[in-house]
Amino acid sequence: MSDRWYENAVVYCLDIDSFADSDGDGCGDIRGLIGRLDYLARLGVTCLWLNPIHPSPGRDDGYDASDFYNVDPRFGSLGDFAELLHEAGNRGIKVIIDLVVNHTSDQHPWFQSARSSPESPYRDWYVWSETAPPDRNQGMVFPGEQNETWSYDRTAKLWFYHRFYKFQPDLNIKNPAVREEIKKICSFWLQLGVAGFRMDAVPFIIEETEPGNPNSPKDMNFLSELRQHVQWRRGDAVLLAEANVEPDQLVRFFGDEGGSGNRIHMLFDFMLNARLVLGLAREDTEPIIDALRDSPKLPEGGQWATFLRNHDEIDLSRLTADQRQDVFARFGPDEDMQLYGRGIRRRLAPMLGNDRRWLELAYALQFSLRGTPVLRYGEEIGMGDDLSLKGRDAIRTPMQWSMLPSGGFTSADPSKLGRPVISGGEFGFEKVNVTVQRQDPRSLLSWFERMIRTLKEAPEIGRGTCTHVDVPAPRGVLVHRADAATGTMVFVHNLGTEPAVVDLGSLAEEAELPNDVLADQEYPEPGKLDEIRVEGHGYRWIRLRRTA
Ligand code: NOJ
């Protein structure tokens, strides 16, 4: 038995403002989300990850908080939030929230006070320099939209550091008062009942920024401190971190190499994400096999979070220029589909030509690979994107619930919506919505429900080891296995469009009564392992053995 609930969780990520509007003001809210919890429970979601919920000027979709101890009044009240936690808990759904403490909004009272006077108690909560740092044009995260990482503040008459946009001044992690405040923020939300945090920008939080030093030291100990604090307050709370760093740096975020996992519990697997997308683009399993082989051994309790799509661009920066070019050519050929020169701002359905078989293959593959799967809202019904919107907004359009006006998202006049609902054409709410798909057992939504149910019967995926099975197979066919105390699963996924045959006869000795628990179609002779067939874009999840 394991208490590590996150190892077998199904995480669903959503923006409250785009999910469901209960009061008709055009902005999604907490009560709207509460009204959709049964939908999420039926889908099989066990953990909600809410994108930032705090009051914010909203210049980076909430990733610029102006008060860490409240919810954005557009979403409702703290009372509504407590109600959400209760209602979600009733359905066995845990809730984690974005913890964005690398920086605040420049409108946050701490920054306003800090800039106003050298005597301010908050002055030292931010990172200042009296002179223009020579490295101020280095390390930008948003090329094209951000020109510097140090800007001059006329009120303070000092330069301040901002890893992200200029309106997001970095907090000074070297200051013990800042560290204590971050812990207090965690305590507050844990006390209300959240199950943990998706920690934003972790490599930058721990950066002990020194003006003029583009490679400032990092204080990993803060992560251990925070982990200890969080765990004392709620034993089963989880930290899920965004740390898109070089592969050889990753393990340290979980804990000291060779030591115990005493820092972050879960890390998004950005490397696997990029390689998965490359594999799909090239119809070649090599990048995925490489990713599985190269991923470091994690300390006990450390876990990957896998994803195909998140709320930002698909980040291809860790691919080589050639690899990135191949992905762009296949999935984002127009400049308009690309972002920051490194990523794609499209949803998966349009990227894969709205090809149902290809979509199933892609998601079956993601959900079968080691770790905990994370699903972005709307992907389960194959929502599209709106490239006429700026930057990342393209994939942040309202959830499409029904054929009612505005897709059933809101009763407000469409002119009141922050981002319009996608309407008309292949991806419009008239065609792509929950209500239509719920009634159709062959819909993508019904498929997701089935696939997630199957995942729950295969705890080996989340909890076990995941290895590539080296049998002779065409370039496009990936065979991998998951092993745990509960048994063994074998998976065959065909990234190519041609049918293929693979010989799994070498696994026969281990098999009890092999059978397909999930497949793109019914295959003949389910008990057979040698010379098994898989259609183009087909997949087979085969239970080999159950021991517990
Ligand atoms: C990462 C978030 O995912 C992204 O949306 C945000 O812009 C930056 N961190 C800054 O907070």
Side-chain angles (χ1 to χ4, degrees), residues 283-285 473-478 493-496:
E283 299 180 19
D284 182 1
T285 55
R475 243 180 119 81
V477 178
L478 180 72
H493 289 88
N494 187 354
L495 276 57

Side-chain angles (χ1 to χ4, degrees), residues 49 51 60-64 98 100 102-103 141-142 164-165 168 198 200-201 242 270 310-313 340 392 396:
W49 153 29
N51 290 128
D60 184 16
D61 213 29
Y63 285 91
D64 48 338
D98 242 299
V100 189
N102 171 66
H103 48 267
V141 177
F142 304 121
F164 297 96
Y165 292 110
Q168 292 165 316
R198 178 267 184 191
D200 189 61
E242 180 204 33
F270 281 94
N310 68 7
H311 62 297
D312 292 333
E313 67 284 0
Y340 308 129
R392 295 158 164 179
R396 296 173 176 178

